[in-house]
Amino acid sequence: MTAIAVLGTGRMGTVHARNLRAADPTLELVFFDVSRNAATALCAHVAGRVADTLADALTGVDGAVVATPSDSHYDVARAAISRGITVFCEKPMVIGLTEADKIVTLAERFDVQVQVGFQRRCDPDYVALKNAVRSLRHGDPLLIRAVAADRWPPSTEFMAHSGGIVRDCLIHDLDVVPWMTGRDVSSVYAQGAILTAGSYAEHDDHDMVTVVLTLDGGAHAVLTASRTNPLGYDHRIEFLGTAGTASVGLDRRTPIRRTDEECRPETVYEDFRERFAAAYAAEMMAFLRLVAGDGENPCPAREARKALVLAEAVERSIRLGRPVNLTGPVRTSGL
Ligand SMILES: NC(=O)c1ccc[n+]([C@@H]2O[C@H](COP(=O)([O-])OP(=O)(O)OC[C@H]3O[C@@H](n4cnc5c(N)ncnc54)[C@H](O)[C@@H]3O)[C@@H](O)[C@H]2O)c1
């Protein structure tokens, strides 16, 4: 019987545990959380057992899902990788590039697959757009526009461990643009702002970031991330090419309307769990195939590292107030 440890049983640990159980009712699930109450509460809804320690949780399992706060991913993922366990790690893989390099090296040394939770890579609509873009159905890229607007600001506790808006939120689109286009990023120009109440300044963070990426060949990608959007959760992307345009994420639940229409907030996406439900289910299916030694890894550690290269460039650009050129292609390893 396949056994999977779910490490961290908060919002994403719960989503992943439910999807794992739905995908395979025979799975043995082991839950570990520094809050035993959290692990016990999840265990009551999704059958399994609660482990007392991380080491206990990792004993005898085939796979581990890391859904702890982002600044603990490095230690938790390392513990699993060095036991030879296949790992699914939530995004960002780690907070810093140095840690990312160590994870990539460790995974290769132990010959362990690490799948990072950039769920857009498993979202049917994002995958369809990526396939269209890669096959040049819409021609050569001219402009990509990505919107990432959460409905509710993060709690102070979450923010403190998140790595900030760029590494926590914008990072999804920093991953998507090179993945979708197959193009490297040659320069990054970013601005950050604090426009709403919250402890952003204390955490050296922003609640809004706007980024212009220049891709090899000259196309632009404009990415925006906001911690607050009163109408609802709005994450989408548009592609403009020399032969057409396409978008993902514009549907009747997207919290945007023409000015002559009323937006009915009860119909909009509340948060990521509603908006990306299909993608989260698909990424757990992919993870179970990896655990079984089968299938392709939708986002290996080496791929996830590239988004951190871009995140560091975005933060540097904000600090310096000018564009930052990337010296090496983002797609190739800087290790
Ligand atoms: N892919 C996505 O769309 C998406 C969406 C939200 C969150 N996330 C990521 O998922 C991760 C978890 O976020 P969340 O929203 O579920 O947070 P959360 O606060 O709801 O849950 C985190 C849980 O981890 C537990 N925990 C803390 N330190 C731990 C440790 N060292 N070992 C075991 N348990 C520990 C906490 O007690 C808590 O129950 C973060 O990395 C976040 O960036 C991804």
Side-chain angles (χ1 to χ4, degrees), residues 120 126 129 143-150 169-178 180-181 208-213 220-226 234-240 246-250 275-276:
R120 285 156 180 74
Y126 275 80
L129 180 56
L143 176 65
I144 293 163
R145 269 191 291 253
V147 172
D150 292 343
C169 179
L170 189 85
I171 197 145
H172 283 288
D173 290 318
L174 294 175
D175 175 64
V176 160
V177 171
M180 185 171 278
T181 59
M208 205 194 61
V209 172
T210 301
V211 179
V212 180
L213 304 178
H220 287 179
V222 180
L223 317 183
T224 55
S226 169
D234 186 5
H235 285 234
R236 58 195 150 86
I237 196 161
E238 295 168 25
F239 178 86
L240 165 64
S247 76
V248 165
L250 264 183
R275 170 69 184 80
F276 287 108

Side-chain angles (χ1 to χ4, degrees), residues 183-201:
R183 298 200 180 201
D184 290 328
V185 174
S186 56
S187 86
V188 171
Y189 186 29
Q191 299 225 331
I194 300 177
L195 301 175
T196 60
S199 52
Y200 300 101

Side-chain angles (χ1 to χ4, degrees), residues 102-119:
K102 289 183 181 164
I103 292 287
V104 170
T105 306
L106 198 67
E108 290 175 356
R109 171 141 61 92
F110 282 87
D111 194 20
V112 161
Q113 288 277 359
V114 175
Q115 177 186 341
V116 177
F118 284 126
Q119 80 275 8

